[in-house]
Amino acid sequence: YEQVLDLVPNQDGALTDLVELAQTEANFEAAGSLVVDALESVGRYPELASVLAARARYTSDPDEKAQALGRLARVQLERLDDAAAALQALNALITSVDAVEAEPVLDEAGRLAVSLGQAAEQFRFLAERSADEDVDTAARVAAAKYAAYLAEDMLGEPKMALEVLSPLIDSGVA
């Protein structure tokens, strides 16, 4: 397949076969590596999104997962005009990175949720994450802080902001 794509980068049959292979756990890495740039160069964004989603789903490498989810969110938003799918990818990315890396993602997901009229749903997602004791402490605090921001500044609910922050403060985590 690699030789076919080198000779004819937009060869439909080869791209279709590689996309199909990239959807499988056994072949996602090799097939995906061959096809991702080719799909983007010929503008086959729905297939690119499915390959990136498969990569994020199957990889055991946290950095590769984060890269795939970040790229998936951009493709969904910028190429497919699917803000809801982009928000899903960003929320998956929030759960896949550490607190420092999550900060800009929290902001991007929050802005997107507000633009979609889903600020309350985003608040609930982040509030649940902040309450999950299996999540890294710094990530819980970051989620709580952003949830509080959404509650107070976007939803006009300062009481909800306090409710999400209080458990962490009371436990001495924040």
Side-chain angles (χ1 to χ4, degrees), residues 96-163:
S96 300
V97 295
D98 66 27
V100 173
E101 293 172 321
E103 294 285 342
V105 183
L106 286 163
D107 186 54
E108 186 177 358
R111 285 185 282 113
L112 194 53
V114 169
S115 75
L116 289 168
Q118 296 180 7
E121 292 86 348
Q122 190 68 9
F123 167 82
R124 281 192 293 279
F125 165 73
L126 294 174
E128 287 173 13
R129 182 156 175 78
S130 73
D132 185 347
E133 293 184 9
D134 291 333
V135 173
D136 172 73
T137 302
R140 290 177 61 204
V141 170
K145 285 173 37 181
Y146 203 85
Y149 162 76
L150 284 174
E152 189 164 356
D153 292 358
M154 298 298 131
L155 298 172
E157 296 285 346
K159 185 177 177 183
M160 287 172 51
L162 188 57
E163 287 172 359

Side-chain angles (χ1 to χ4, degrees), residues 43-55:
R44 291 175 62 168
Y45 301 113
E47 292 101 331
L48 175 60
S50 69
V51 169
L52 292 170
R55 179 173 282 183

Side-chain angles (χ1 to χ4, degrees), residues 24 30 39 42 46 93:
T24 66
L39 290 170
V42 297
L93 182 56

